[in-house]
């Protein structure tokens, strides 16, 4: 008999920030593994581009894009309800949408900058995972939640204390969710990317001084790519990960080993 735990046919996964970067890399792999996807982004043009790219993969499941600013609590709840009405039960949710701030001394950071970072990266993930959990518990089919944290969650990020705080918060919140929701067969894990080449890091990865400093610290000797996140997304949404919860996965080419 064939071993097919990575066949995600019949499962639909919500990916916030799935219209580009790491989220899109995960969505592509999910679609190629048979899953349906619901993509949230705040920019309709980015959503439209992602929708046609994902449809071109000719997967088996539904593909739905919705404009949703994850820092807007009411919008998150409303989009979740609409998504379920349109595509049926959601099996998994990847709280990936996030922003980074311009590097700046902690002592110069304004309260507005601090609050904006928290409202998207941490409040947004809370609203999203809460809405998904409520729906998944009601649907009674188990499921899988993923939080997109960062290596900053465990090693900090000088001059980006607000960013590091949100990622550390996500890591701890996700462990707590794993304990609480295990009784509903809902698993919760975090992913901690290192330096990944996306729009978020474009300014840095094309800056020679930064490359000279950081690249020698990456044993794999390359930036991560969005496709490096496909496998972990598929695994965590699959039956192969049925006993895997409360964990975090560092995907950084060995960066944090130095
Ligand atoms: P990108 O900047 O390439 O993409 C960010 C995504 O988040 C976009 O899809 C964007 O869509 C969406 N987004 C941003 N704000 C909102 C919002 N308010 N509501 C809904 N969607 C929003 O980032 P990456 O792909 O690089 O990063 C993805 C995640 O991975 C983030 O949480 C980031 O912190 C984390 N990460 C990234 C690392 C890296 O090196 N790139 C390293 C460690 C962690 P739209 O523009 O349509 O709103």
């Amino acid at each position: 008999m064939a071993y097919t735990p990575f066949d995600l046919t019949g499962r639909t996964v919500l990916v916030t920030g799935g219209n580009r970067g790491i989220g899109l890399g995960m969505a592509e792999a999910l679609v190629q593994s048979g899953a349906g996807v619901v993509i949230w982004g705040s920019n309709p043009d980015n959503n439209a581009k992602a929708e046609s790219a994902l449809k071109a993969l000719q997967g088996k499941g539904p593909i739905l894009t919705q404009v949703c600013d994850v820092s807007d609590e009411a919008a998150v709840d409303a989009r979740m309800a609409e998504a379920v009405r349109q595509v049926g039960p959601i099996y998994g949710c990847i709280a990936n949408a996030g922003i980074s701030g311009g590097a700046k001394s902690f002592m110069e950071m304004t309260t507005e900058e601090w609050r904006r970072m928290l409202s998207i990266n941490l409040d947004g993930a809370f609203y999203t995972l809460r809405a998904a959990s409520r729906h998944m518990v009601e649907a009674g089919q188990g499921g899988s939640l993923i939080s997109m944290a960062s290596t900053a969650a465990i090693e900090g990020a000088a001059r980006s204390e607000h960013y590091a705080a949100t990622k550390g918060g996500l890591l701890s919140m996700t462990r707590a969710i794993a304990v609480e929701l295990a009784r509903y067969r809902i698993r919760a894990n975090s992913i901690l990317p290192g330096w990944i080449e996306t729009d978020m890091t474009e300014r840095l990865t094309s800056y020679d001084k930064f490359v000279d400093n950081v690249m020698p610290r990456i044993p794999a000797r390359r930036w991560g790519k969005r496709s490096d996140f496909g496998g972990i997304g598929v695994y965590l949404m699959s039956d192969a990960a049925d006993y895997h919860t409360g964990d975090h996965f560092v995907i950084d080419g060995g960066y944090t080993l130095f």
Side-chain angles (χ1 to χ4, degrees):
M1 210 167 83
Y3 178 71
T4 56
F6 302 111
D7 179 359
L8 301 182
T9 306
R11 290 189 173 170
T12 300
V13 181
L14 166 66
V15 188
T16 72
N19 63 22
R20 53 196 172 91
I22 291 173
L24 180 58
M26 297 178 90
E28 287 167 331
L30 292 167
V31 169
Q32 287 169 314
S33 301
V37 287
V38 176
I39 302 295
W40 285 359
S42 64
N43 180 317
D45 294 338
N46 293 341
N47 278 3
K49 276 187 216 144
E51 185 167 321
S52 54
L54 290 167
K55 284 188 171 159
L57 296 174
Q58 300 186 319
K60 294 184 194 162
I63 290 168
L64 172 67
T65 57
Q66 295 176 300
V67 174
C68 183
D69 177 348
V70 293
S71 66
D72 179 341
E73 181 178 7
V76 166
D77 288 342
R79 294 299 90 72
M80 181 70 69
E82 283 164 25
V84 172
R85 267 199 301 277
Q86 287 190 48
V87 301
I90 305 287
Y91 176 79
C93 174
I94 306 178
N96 163 78
I99 56 166
S100 60
K104 187 175 198 179
S105 163
F106 180 54
M107 292 169 285
E108 308 292 324
M109 194 174 286
T110 66
T111 305
E112 289 68 33
E113 288 164 337
W114 172 264
R115 294 216 188 288
R116 176 162 188 268
M117 184 67 72
L118 263 73
S119 75
I120 295 176
N121 287 12
L122 196 52
D123 296 354
F126 162 62
Y127 300 146
T128 303
L129 295 172
R130 182 181 62 178
S133 301
R134 286 172 173 165
H135 160 67
M136 287 156 68
V137 167
E138 197 182 320
Q141 295 172 8
S144 174
L145 305 171
I146 302 177
S147 295
M148 193 59 65
S150 163
T151 51
I154 49 176
E155 66 164 20
R159 300 173 66 81
S160 282
E161 283 79 1
H162 50 355
Y163 182 79
T166 63
K167 297 305 185 179
L170 263 180
L171 183 62
S172 305
M173 177 176 76
T174 306
R175 286 189 180 131
I177 292 171
V179 176
E180 183 181 340
L181 298 191
R183 77 193 69 162
Y184 302 106
R185 290 188 301 116
I186 295 172
R187 298 172 289 104
N189 293 283
S190 300
I191 298 176
L192 279 56
W195 290 107
I196 317 303
E197 208 165 17
T198 64
D199 294 343
M200 183 178 277
T201 51
E202 195 190 4
R203 194 175 40 85
L204 295 169
T205 50
S206 56
Y207 177 43
D208 287 347
K209 208 168 150 198
F210 178 82
V211 175
D212 291 348
N213 281 331
V214 172
M215 192 54 83
R217 276 195 60 195
I218 304 177
R221 290 291 185 272
R222 67 168 177 85
W223 306 119
K225 306 186 290 277
R226 74 174 196 234
S227 57
D228 290 319
F229 293 82
I232 190 67
V234 170
Y235 167 68
L236 286 173
M237 290 300 151
S238 78
D239 287 338
D242 203 41
Y243 202 50
H244 208 156
T245 195
D247 204 357
H248 68 270
F249 297 80
V250 178
I251 302 201
D252 68 349
Y255 176 73
T256 41
L257 297 174
F258 268 64

